[in-house]
Amino acid sequence: MHGGVRCFGRLVAGAALLAAGATRVNAADEAASPPAAAPPADVASLFGGSSSCPRPDLVRAELATLLPPERLSARLRAIPGTPSVVELYDLGAPFRVVAAGRVREYRDDARDCAYRARVAAVFVALTIDPASVATPPPPPRQEPPVAIAEPASVNLIPPIARIEVAAAVDAAFGSDRVAHGGAALRVAIGRGRYAFTAGALALLPADTTVGGVRLRQWRLPVDAGVRASAAGGAFVPYAELGLSAAILTESATDLAAASSRTALELGARAAIGARFGRSRFAPFASLHAEVVPAAPAIFALPQGEVGHTPVFWIGASAGASVGL
Amino acid sequence: MRPVRAAIVLALLGGCGDRLDVGSDLLWTGLFEHGNFDEWTGDDHGGAQAFPTPPNLIEISSERVHRGGNAAKLTIDVPDGAAQGNSALTRSGALPVEAYYSAWYYLPRTIGVTGFWVIFKFRQQEQATMDELFDLDLINLPSGEMSLQLYDHRRQATIPLDVTDPVVPVSRWFQIEAFYRNAQDATGRVTFWLDGQPILDLRNQAMASTPFVEWNVSSIGENLNPATPVLYVDDCAVSRSRVGPGGTID
């Protein structure tokens, strides 16, 4: 009875750790102090996975401090399905815990295995015996936060592709400043750190002046390249590098005999951006720059060649990213 | 990988670099390249005439050209005591309220002017001045070089230039361009450039008494020495924007 009260109290504290973003136990102390009680031996067969950090036996030991052995064994055995009720996977900085079909992935850059075992045990305890948590948790200790990622959706496999739709603005600073507003569509294909990316901007026409000649300018850029993303948490920064092409139409607005001409611009594009959140739908924002080394010349009579269209473009876009 | 490399090289080094010809501010040109005066006489708004003929002449010539293969050769015969000689190209009637008027001239040699010699002229429809308005004349400087002056027929007086004694080159093509806003109120303006350099700017005053505008590229003179001066004219234009010495009109 006395042991049951003690376990209940630790379970409540553990729940607070998970629910509130948690407190970090001193890893050295945790590693040095042995588990308070050992779980029944037959429970070991219910643990699976390939994790070495945390090791299953450490997790079982931590579980034994949270739930009475009889209750732990009964709750684990009451769960139907595969032989392994609890599975642990060491993914490097992240580690994944599967308990009774529920999946959580946490991040621990320090790879503190004892700490990981405690976190995993708390998650398992809350999953297999949520009724044990009956009272509100005490306020968390004011200690440095643990680098635990928010749990992702149950589907932890990253999407093979993302489609991004955004509002966009593209501006140039040449002989005359010009800004186009419009919409951006982009796709990034690949699950890993690097992905193929391609996009297009549908920009509205804008008025500008080149060498004193007033023009209505319409530009439709497309690009293709490579995206490199940082390892994902809730904030996924990325950078892109690629080649660009744009269909550029210039129409004189103030000449005695005005006409429209279209050219193809070729250049290079770079971008930085970030996606916020790991769900299928996530907002994102990005900045991009484009260089057009051989910008078309504007020619009008009687002036002749009055200048070139912009060589350097910068822009921004913000919208939604959809994982497929 | 070769197509990828080629695309990168093309994008970063070459690109397209197209020239986008977006139009023209030229309202009319007279280039003489067709070997006739049709650009001037082909509609009801111009002319090419010398009188009395003979001895005064206006003809297409390839002896001296600014660009292309032809120019106009204006010859008058005006010995001392003889009547005024006239050889002139004219545009009139359909000209806008404001425009730039440009012509290139070639003067083979220095001419002594004891009477007058008009090479660029604006006319109006006004009986009081016998339809005359502004004459841009060639004159002699004390140094023997040739220069310009503007004569205002309304005032029957010469208008001092903004620059002192600009020298008109001999045996070299030179450009005279004018901006003329024919307003009947104080917004009127006429400005002249010699080879791109402004020489006179009359602004904030009424111009012709009516909206009618006539422009002459001419050799109209009296009492000149030698008595049969030749003046070549080429690449004339009326434009909504300034042509300038570097302008392109063909």
Side-chain angles (χ1 to χ4, degrees):
Chain A
M1 187 63 187
H2 180 76
V5 172
R6 177 174 63 90
C7 289
F8 179 78
R10 295 197 67 167
L11 182 56
V12 168
L17 182 148
L18 278 185
T23 59
R24 176 160 192 163
V25 182
N26 185 302
D29 293 347
E30 193 64 30
S33 58
D42 59 347
V43 170
S45 63
L46 301 175
F47 281 69
S50 58
S51 177
S52 60
C53 181
R55 294 199 322 263
D57 61 312
L58 279 179
V59 176
R60 289 196 305 272
E62 290 290 349
L63 264 175
T65 68
L66 301 174
L67 295 173
E70 309 77 29
R71 188 177 181 89
L72 172 61
S73 178
R75 297 300 299 179
L76 287 173
R77 292 189 178 284
I79 296 169
T82 57
S84 297
V85 175
V86 178
E87 295 178 0
L88 303 164
Y89 298 95
D90 179 5
L91 305 176
F95 64 100
R96 186 184 305 161
V97 185
V98 182
R102 294 186 63 196
V103 182
R104 287 290 185 275
E105 191 169 300
Y106 301 98
R107 187 177 183 86
D108 173 32
D109 292 324
R111 296 186 57 77
D112 182 340
C113 299
Y115 165 70
R116 290 182 174 203
R118 169 171 283 260
V119 171
V122 171
F123 170 64
V124 171
L126 286 172
T127 301
I128 65 173
D129 196 9
S132 298
V133 185
T135 59
R141 293 189 297 172
Q142 295 300 312
E143 294 184 15
V146 178
I148 296 178
E150 282 297 314
S153 59
V154 171
N155 179 14
L156 291 175
I157 299 174
I160 185 66
R162 299 199 77 93
I163 293 178
E164 296 165 353
V165 180
V169 63
D170 218 17
F173 303 92
S175 58
D176 188 50
R177 295 178 182 178
V178 61
H180 298 263
L185 177 65
R186 174 162 295 280
V187 60
I189 300 172
R191 282 203 174 96
R193 180 180 178 85
Y194 297 99
F196 166 79
T197 183
L201 281 172
L203 299 170
L204 296 171
D207 291 337
T208 185
T209 302
V210 175
V213 176
R214 293 184 180 181
L215 300 167
R216 171 145 293 190
Q217 182 171 268
W218 191 33
R219 195 164 181 270
L220 296 174
V222 296
D223 69 273
V226 175
R227 170 181 291 186
S229 301
F235 174 76
V236 184
Y238 60 83
E240 297 172 348
L241 192 62
L243 299 178
S244 63
I247 296 172
L248 178 74
T249 298
E250 301 283 2
S251 304
T253 60
D254 203 22
L255 294 179
S259 58
S260 293
R261 290 290 182 272
T262 298
L264 177 66
E265 291 183 332
L266 298 177
R269 177 185 179 276
I272 56 171
R275 194 171 60 248
F276 307 97
R278 302 181 61 195
S279 61
R280 188 178 172 205
F281 294 91
F284 82 97
S286 70
L287 299 172
H288 66 263
E290 185 182 349
V291 176
V292 182
I298 300 297
F299 184 90
L301 295 176
Q303 298 94 322
E305 188 174 302
V306 296
H308 288 77
T309 58
V311 171
F312 186 66
W313 292 85
I314 60 173
S317 57
S321 173
V322 182
L324 300 178
Chain B
M1 286 300 290
R2 284 185 179 176
V4 174
R5 288 178 190 161
I8 294 172
V9 171
L10 183 65
L12 298 182
L13 299 179
C16 295
D18 291 341
R19 192 181 89 169
L20 302 179
D21 186 351
V22 296
S24 171
D25 251 350
L26 295 171
L27 301 174
W28 172 90
T29 57
L31 309 178
F32 309 107
E33 294 307 308
H34 298 299
N36 54 46
F37 292 105
D38 285 354
E39 295 158 321
W40 299 80
T41 63
D43 55 19
D44 295 331
H45 304 296
Q49 190 174 21
F51 62 93
T53 302
N56 305 296
L57 295 172
I58 183 166
E59 56 194 324
I60 298 294
S61 170
S62 58
E63 296 167 4
R64 304 283 181 187
V65 297
H66 177 241
R67 293 179 66 170
N70 292 315
K73 181 180 180 182
L74 282 58
T75 308
I76 57 176
D77 184 19
V78 284
D80 285 347
Q84 170 183 308
N86 304 273
S87 180
L89 297 155
T90 300
R91 294 300 296 170
S92 65
L95 297 174
V97 171
E98 68 174 52
Y100 291 83
Y101 299 83
S102 170
W104 285 87
Y105 297 85
Y106 186 91
L107 194 58
R109 56 165 296 173
T110 300
I111 303 295
V113 182
T114 54
F116 62 87
W117 193 10
V118 186
I119 64 169
F120 192 112
K121 186 178 182 74
F122 287 113
R123 291 181 182 271
Q124 60 177 343
Q125 287 182 325
E126 174 58 61
Q127 282 189 340
T129 63
M130 299 184 67
D131 294 341
E132 310 268 11
L133 183 57
F134 293 116
D135 290 354
L136 191 64
D137 300 335
L138 282 173
I139 60 171
N140 297 123
L141 295 174
S143 63
E145 296 170 304
M146 305 211 74
S147 186
L148 295 167
Q149 74 175 17
L150 185 70
Y151 186 81
D152 186 342
H153 284 271
R154 298 169 303 177
R155 304 176 196 177
Q156 296 189 342
T158 299
I159 308 296
L161 300 183
D162 295 340
V163 296
T164 304
D165 299 337
V167 174
V168 173
V170 173
S171 300
R172 177 173 72 76
W173 285 95
F174 61 93
Q175 185 209 27
I176 292 178
E177 185 168 12
F179 170 75
Y180 181 41
R181 181 188 297 133
N182 182 28
Q184 283 68 59
D185 57 20
T187 62
R189 183 174 186 181
V190 63
T191 308
F192 289 91
W193 291 265
L194 169 61
D195 278 340
Q197 301 301 314
I199 56 173
L200 177 64
D201 186 14
L202 292 178
R203 59 169 68 191
N204 303 324
Q205 55 187 275
M207 293 290 144
S209 58
T210 72
F212 175 86
V213 176
E214 179 177 316
W215 174 49
N216 300 147
V217 178
S218 63
S219 177
I220 301 171
E222 195 173 280
N223 294 337
L224 304 180
N225 182 27
T228 55
V230 173
L231 184 66
Y232 295 93
V233 173
D234 203 357
D235 294 338
C236 304
V238 181
S239 173
R240 279 184 42 184
S241 57
R242 194 175 156 205
V243 177
T248 304
I249 63 171
D250 56 356

